[in-house]
Amino acid sequence: LGKKVNVGLLGFGVVGSGVKQIIDNNQEKLQHQLDCEINVSHILVRNLEKYENMVGQSTVLTTNPNDVINNDTIDVIVEVVGGVEQAREYILQALQAGKHVVTANKDLIALHGTELHRIAKENNCDLFYEASVGGGIPLLRSISDGLAADRIHKIIGIVNGTTNYILTKMNDESWTYTDALQKAQELGFAEADPTADVEGLDAARKMVILARLAFLMDVELDDVTVSGISGLPLEDLTYGQQLGYTMKLIGTATKNKDAVEVSVQPTFLCNEHPLASVKNEYNAVYVSGEFVGETMFYGPGAGSLPTATAVMSDIVAVIKNKHLNVNGKQYIEPLYDKKLLDKEDTISQFYVRIHAKDETGAFANISQLFKQLNISFERIIQKPSKETKVAEIVIITHKTSLANFNKALEKLNESDVVKNVASYYRVEGDA
Ligand SMILES: NC(=O)c1ccc[n+]([C@@H]2O[C@H](COP(=O)([O-])OP(=O)(O)OC[C@H]3O[C@@H](n4cnc5c(N)ncnc54)[C@H](OP(=O)(O)O)[C@@H]3O)[C@@H](O)[C@H]2O)c1
């Protein structure tokens, strides 16, 4: 290994500029650990003028991808342009040119990770993406290395900072969804087009990456049940609070025997659950293994320097692999054929808000309906609604299968005493 490792950045936005900042400011520690200098030698951008004053003489800014990707002096390419197709092209070309690749791009890895790993392996190159899930939290390597010998059976987490910020403000400050989203956009936590975040897609992509690593199974985005938080009524969060629950956008990946289930959905957590106290833009992921028991990873899920820290850990891993001459050998292939759990069989508690006729016997009628399906109640609130002659009933059920709960919904919708089922959510009791 030479005395200098050159890094080429594709993109110089929030994450890219953070990576250069860390390399420039923490050279002493990096050199001590790696016995070589790290240098950002080339950066690909679209608009040279925008970035001119941000880099010194020793770094070349270019708008030509070839100057970085096919540059013989560069060892590691860091893809932080974002998006899918262009980024995929760049990474494929880089791997084919024998470069090790580090990326923060969850969209790309969730969609094309399998293909990219194959190409990386064929070219004896490393492909790492620690920053793609949980920003600065050292999570992926903890799962793949730290828990390498365990059998992980459940991952449950808050993996999207934008939605966690919105839900925190709704829960703690009683802001409406619209106000909370607007504030998140003003503060830069939410993008101008927040669809991927608020509809749960961003979290779903991250859960796919986690599930693949944890279960060694080729889970795909289409296998994930996704529902987001857009338009969530504040009333539900308020009722949840009264009952001792906090609403979070929760990603779960569960393995039961040899089948897995991955989902992202707004979920009520009982207030004692460790994830219930994860606030604002923070992320946290709970990983349960047969041998280790329960572990929790917590930290900033985004931001320039936190995310760049995770990118740096990948660059360090590439350089250590170079020292040992083991690049391209770290990827663990899927071990098991994909087997998905039938979602109808998943078991959980549920929250349901019902508008019923405000008349004698209505509640008894509804109770009876649940009883027939063997669904018992853990908590209940009943009060007259603002609408005349309508009572609002909120129920937290004990555990039951989704199939059985769906039957209850069907019966509620058919019942004479029920005007409508206003909303329902999954409930996570204990961790
Ligand atoms: N921001 C975070 O906290 C965070 C956290 C975890 C993961 N990530 C992931 O990290 C990646 C980068 O995010 P970011 O927040 O750093 O994005 P960003 O601030 O928008 O920066 C993107 C950079 O890439 C450049 N770029 C975009 N398309 C390009 C193209 N086709 N050719 C050349 N340059 C191009 C942009 O240049 P111009 O300015 O000239 O357009 C800009 O310098 C994304 O995959 C994101 O999901 C971000």
Side-chain angles (χ1 to χ4, degrees):
L1 191 74
K3 279 285 166 201
K4 192 192 254 185
V5 169
N6 281 328
V7 173
L9 299 183
L10 306 177
F12 200 48
V14 175
V15 183
S17 59
V19 171
K20 179 151 169 38
Q21 204 179 322
I22 292 179
I23 290 180
D24 291 347
N25 294 338
N26 208 8
Q27 202 52 234
E28 189 183 13
K29 184 175 177 197
L30 289 166
Q31 284 196 28
H32 174 71
Q33 294 175 95
L34 298 169
D35 196 25
C36 66
E37 185 188 337
I38 307 183
N39 173 50
V40 176
S41 64
H42 291 72
I43 304 175
L44 175 75
V45 291
R46 280 186 293 211
N47 177 350
L48 290 177
E49 276 173 27
K50 183 172 163 186
Y51 298 103
E52 247 166 16
N53 297 329
M54 289 170 63
V55 295
Q57 300 266 312
S58 60
T59 304
V60 178
L61 271 181
T62 176
T63 55
N64 181 356
N66 265 325
D67 291 345
V68 188
I69 294 169
N70 285 310
N71 187 324
D72 288 342
T73 65
I74 293 178
D75 301 285
V76 189
I77 301 280
V78 176
E79 182 279 306
V80 276
V81 287
V84 176
E85 279 320 314
Q86 187 68 76
R88 173 172 167 264
E89 261 319 301
Y90 287 157
I91 291 182
L92 283 174
Q93 284 173 29
L95 293 170
Q96 276 151 358
K99 311 286 184 207
H100 308 296
V101 173
V102 172
T103 174
N105 194 329
K106 60 256 169 181
D107 309 9
L108 178 65
I109 295 298
L111 287 169
H112 299 293
T114 309
E115 175 203 25
L116 295 175
H117 271 299
R118 182 172 50 76
I119 308 289
K121 196 173 174 195
E122 281 169 17
N123 290 281
N124 291 321
C125 290
D126 285 332
L127 169 67
F128 294 141
Y129 38 88
E130 180 65 64
S132 66
V133 185
I137 309 172
L139 180 60
L140 301 191
R141 216 163 263 116
S142 299
I143 291 175
S144 61
D145 293 357
L147 298 173
D150 209 336
R151 285 196 203 104
I152 296 171
H153 50 80
K154 185 166 184 180
I155 297 184
I156 161 165
I158 296 168
V159 290
N160 181 275
T162 307
T163 47
N164 202 44
Y165 174 85
I166 293 172
L167 291 175
T168 303
K169 292 298 172 197
M170 291 177 73
N171 197 66
D172 293 2
E173 321 268 348
S174 297
W175 292 2
T176 63
Y177 169 79
T178 315
D179 290 348
L181 171 61
Q182 198 185 335
K183 190 71 184 170
Q185 284 171 321
E186 280 167 29
L187 292 171
F189 295 145
E191 297 187 24
D193 177 1
T195 314
D197 289 324
V198 300
E199 297 301 344
L201 194 58
D202 175 81
R205 289 165 177 156
K206 291 166 178 168
M207 292 311 297
V208 164
I209 296 172
L210 290 174
R212 280 183 193 151
L213 274 184
F215 304 143
L216 297 185
M217 202 183 274
D218 231 337
V219 179
E220 289 165 278
L221 203 50
D222 284 348
D223 302 325
V224 187
T225 315
V226 189
S227 62
I229 64 155
S230 68
L232 209 68
L234 182 59
E235 291 149 273
D236 282 321
L237 275 81
T238 311
Y239 278 126
Q241 271 181 339
Q242 289 169 22
L243 292 161
Y245 292 85
T246 305
M247 173 71 83
K248 295 287 180 191
L249 183 66
I250 291 292
T252 52
T254 323
K255 189 170 185 198
N256 191 348
K257 299 201 178 84
D258 52 355
V260 305
E261 199 255 337
V262 187
S263 72
V264 170
Q265 53 194 312
T267 303
F268 274 117
L269 300 177
C270 81
N271 286 342
E272 290 73 42
H273 195 292
L275 291 176
S277 51
V278 175
K279 298 210 178 217
N280 296 318
E281 71 279 20
Y282 276 83
N283 282 195
V285 176
Y286 224 85
V287 181
S288 303
E290 188 177 324
F291 309 129
V292 74
E294 288 167 355
T295 58
M296 182 158 149
F297 301 85
Y298 170 86
S304 180
L305 291 175
T307 309
T309 313
V311 170
M312 286 309 302
S313 80
D314 286 344
I315 295 175
V316 166
V318 168
I319 297 172
K320 285 185 176 170
N321 284 350
K322 277 168 85 71
H323 280 304
L324 298 168
N325 206 13
V326 292
N327 293 106
K329 296 190 169 47
Q330 234 163 0
Y331 175 58
I332 305 159
E333 305 263 348
L335 172 62
Y336 307 104
D337 288 338
K338 185 168 78 180
K339 193 166 168 203
L340 299 173
L341 207 65
D342 187 344
K343 294 188 194 308
E344 294 275 298
D345 292 340
T346 55
I347 307 279
S348 74
Q349 292 179 257
F350 292 92
Y351 162 110
V352 57
R353 177 158 61 95
I354 303 160
H355 287 147
K357 287 184 187 162
D358 199 5
E359 59 187 33
T360 325
F363 183 73
N365 210 308
I366 291 169
S367 295
Q368 186 60 25
L369 181 156
F370 277 94
K371 200 171 165 206
Q372 279 166 3
L373 292 164
N374 271 329
I375 303 174
S376 50
F377 299 161
E378 184 171 302
R379 285 169 215 195
I380 302 159
I381 295 179
Q382 182 180 8
K383 65 175 200 184
S385 151
K386 285 167 211 139
E387 251 183 88
T388 48
K389 298 204 175 137
V390 174
E392 196 153 52
I393 300 171
V394 177
I395 295 167
I396 305 261
T397 72
H398 277 132
K399 280 187 181 170
T400 187
S401 68
L402 179 61
N404 207 28
F405 181 71
N406 280 337
K407 272 190 216 153
L409 289 179
E410 231 172 80
K411 285 188 179 288
L412 284 169
N413 283 320
E414 286 164 4
S415 163
D416 290 340
V417 298
V418 173
K419 291 203 86 170
N420 68 306
V421 174
S423 57
Y424 57 91
Y425 308 95
R426 220 167 58 98
V427 174
E428 276 276 335
D430 25 75

